[in-house]
């Protein structure tokens, strides 16, 4: 098991990465001086596979658990679902000594994190992510949120976890579609921060998606992505500057998800389209080379680029970018490539540039 330290203004915590380590959750939590009552928030699919193990691990060291499930989809990640979870916790008479475990993918982590950040003005949070998106991105850094009909993740708080436990064996139960969508965040990390990781992905992508990597190599891949995310969070916890680079591909991607009611594309699929759109804008306006854009798009093509965007109103997508959290002084902030491994935060380009990217996607991947 490898541990990675994250230190922010609010908290210092560890991220544990390994295979077959989920059963160690209770023992690791006992090192954190947490209270005796814990809400374990999950969705039906993940609960069927792992909830029993997690509850057993926690109860074996004396914790009292309250398992709670909600529909783990972006369409169901809203204030109404959060209210239902709050009701369960109130009925169980949870007080400020209680804490929360998020067991599942990015949607579960966002929801459970939001609940932990807001219930009784804040409870400790432990993340146990079970998807690639959650393991390399969503569980790290303290961003929690629920969606609004007008935009993704607009209602939330920064709330750092006390522990993140990443069991890479959980990835072996994921369907290929979920693995592919999750790899979008891995490609993103490589483009923004690590050219060597990008070259590794070019050589081994199919082997990774098929989960044919040896267990220790899979651990390394996830841990390397964790290190990239953690390093950025250490420098900029609340997204006032550098942390914005983690949103590469997300401005257009989130807008596509919102414009289609969170029902047509998985988050990772939206990010794939967003990265392609951002790549086109970057080349069109002289930020990076056509050769680097081609390398990005070729790698994403091997993952599988989602289609169907021709049926989405382009103005609806552009309109959703106006509700983007990264918008500054009325201007949409874009993250654009400079070279593989390096990006730039750009807020001087107008809305028409976004239209260029959206129309390119509609023409190229209808």
């Amino acid at each position: 098991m490898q541990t990675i330290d994250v230190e922010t203004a609010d908290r210092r915590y560890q991220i544990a990465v390994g295979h077959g380590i989920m059963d160690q959750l209770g023992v690791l939590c006992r090192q954190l001086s947490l209270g005796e009552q814990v809400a374990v928030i999950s969705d039906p699919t993940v609960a069927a596979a792992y909830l029993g193990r997690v509850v057993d691990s926690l109860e074996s060291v004396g914790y009292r658990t309250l398992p709670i499930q909600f529909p783990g989809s972006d369409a169901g990640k809203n204030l109404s679902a959060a209210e239902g979870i709050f009701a369960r916790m109130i009925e169980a008479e949870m007080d400020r000594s209680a804490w929360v475990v998020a067991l599942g993918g990015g949607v579960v982590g966002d929801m459970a994190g939001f609940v932990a950040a807001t219930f009784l003005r804040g409870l400790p949070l432990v993340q146990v992510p079970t998807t690639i998106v959650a393991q390399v991105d969503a569980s790290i850094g303290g961003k929690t949120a629920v969606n609004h009909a007008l935009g993704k993740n607009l209602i939330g708080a920064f709330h750092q976890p006390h522990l993140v436990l990443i069991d890479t064996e959980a990835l072996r139960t994921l369907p290929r579609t979920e693995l592919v969508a999750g790899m979008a965040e891995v490609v993103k990390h490589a483009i923004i921060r690590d050219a060597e990781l990008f070259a590794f992905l070019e050589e081994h992508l199919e082997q990774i998606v098929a989960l044919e990597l040896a267990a220790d190599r899979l651990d390394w891949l996830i841990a390397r992505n964790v290190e990239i995310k953690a390093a950025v969070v250490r420098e900029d916890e609340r997204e006032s500057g550098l942390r914005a680079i983690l949103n590469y591909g997300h401005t257009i991607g989130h807008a596509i998800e919102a414009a289609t009611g969170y029902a047509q594309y998985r988050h990772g699929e939206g990010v794939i389209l967003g990265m392609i759109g951002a790549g086109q804008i970057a080349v069109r306006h002289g930020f990076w080379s056509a050769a680097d854009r081609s390398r990005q798009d070729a790698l994403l093509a091997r993952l599988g680029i989602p289609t169907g965007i021709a049926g989405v109103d382009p103005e609806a997508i552009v309109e959703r970018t106006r509700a983007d959290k990264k918008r500054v002084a009325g201007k949409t902030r874009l993250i654009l490539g400079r070279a593989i491994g390096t990006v730039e935060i750009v807020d001087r380009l107008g809305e028409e540039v976004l239209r260029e990217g959206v129309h390119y996607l509609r023409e190229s991947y209808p």
Side-chain angles (χ1 to χ4, degrees), residues 127-145:
Q127 292 271 9
V128 185
T130 59
T131 65
I132 292 183
V133 170
Q135 291 188 354
V136 306
D137 184 59
S139 67
I140 304 160
K143 289 170 72 172
T144 75

Side-chain angles (χ1 to χ4, degrees), residues 54-353:
V54 165
V55 166
D56 287 348
S57 179
L58 293 168
E59 292 186 348
S60 71
V61 293
Y63 291 118
R64 291 180 288 121
T65 64
L66 174 67
I68 302 174
Q69 297 180 38
F70 80 103
S73 65
D74 262 314
K77 191 181 79 173
N78 51 43
L79 286 172
S80 176
E83 186 174 354
I85 296 172
F86 291 145
R88 291 286 310 280
M89 295 171 71
I90 294 169
E91 290 165 358
E93 300 182 350
M94 285 193 155
D95 59 28
R96 286 182 173 171
S97 69
W99 50 289
V100 174
V101 168
L103 173 64
V107 169
V108 171
D110 280 351
M111 174 63 83
F114 176 75
V115 167
T118 53
F119 187 74
L120 299 178
R121 297 188 174 92
L123 301 180
L125 171 68
V126 170
Q127 292 271 9
V128 185
T130 59
T131 65
I132 292 183
V133 170
Q135 291 188 354
V136 306
D137 184 59
S139 67
I140 304 160
K143 289 170 72 172
T144 75
V146 294
N147 299 330
H148 188 277
L150 297 179
K152 183 168 175 132
N153 294 335
L154 294 183
I155 305 164
F158 286 93
H159 190 64
Q160 297 292 342
H162 281 59
L163 169 72
V164 181
L165 184 146
I166 297 175
D167 189 339
T168 59
E169 285 296 316
L171 302 181
R172 301 191 183 278
T173 63
L174 295 178
R176 178 182 169 82
T177 51
E178 191 67 41
L179 289 165
V180 167
M183 284 299 296
E185 296 289 351
V186 176
V187 173
K188 178 200 78 176
H189 283 154
I191 291 171
I192 68 173
R193 205 73 166 173
D194 193 337
E196 292 184 5
L197 175 60
F198 191 90
F200 177 84
L201 297 176
E202 287 181 308
E203 184 175 354
H204 298 288
L205 185 67
E206 285 75 19
Q207 189 180 13
I208 296 167
V209 172
L211 290 175
E212 294 173 351
L213 286 180
D216 60 338
R217 292 298 281 165
L218 183 60
D219 289 352
W220 170 85
L221 176 66
I222 299 302
R224 177 62 193 127
N225 279 269
V226 168
E227 289 169 346
I228 291 170
K229 176 78 181 272
V232 174
V233 169
R234 287 188 199 104
E235 291 189 48
D236 180 16
E237 179 182 2
R238 294 184 176 267
E239 204 171 70
S240 58
L242 176 68
R243 187 167 177 171
I245 69 173
L246 294 169
N247 292 302
Y248 179 64
H250 285 57
T251 299
I252 294 175
H254 278 173
I256 291 171
E257 290 180 76
T260 54
Y262 308 108
Q264 185 168 329
Y265 299 103
R266 290 177 173 81
H267 170 66
E269 293 171 335
V271 171
I272 287 172
L273 290 170
M275 287 191 285
I276 292 171
Q280 168 67 9
I281 292 169
V283 170
R284 177 83 171 75
H285 293 272
F287 285 87
W288 72 344
S289 69
D292 280 341
R293 191 270 298 276
S294 294
R295 285 182 69 193
Q296 170 194 264
D297 290 2
L299 188 61
L300 294 174
R302 288 162 61 189
L303 278 179
I305 298 170
T307 57
I309 194 171
V312 184
D313 180 2
E315 285 307 307
I317 298 172
V318 174
E319 180 182 351
R320 290 305 193 276
T321 66
R322 296 174 194 147
D324 189 89
K325 302 185 302 302
K326 284 83 67 185
R327 197 170 170 88
V328 177
K331 294 182 180 180
T332 298
R333 174 176 284 178
L334 289 170
I335 314 303
L336 299 178
R338 277 294 187 185
I340 299 295
T342 305
V343 292
E344 181 176 338
I345 302 169
V346 181
D347 56 17
R348 61 184 182 272
L349 299 178
E351 198 169 85
E352 189 56 37
V353 168

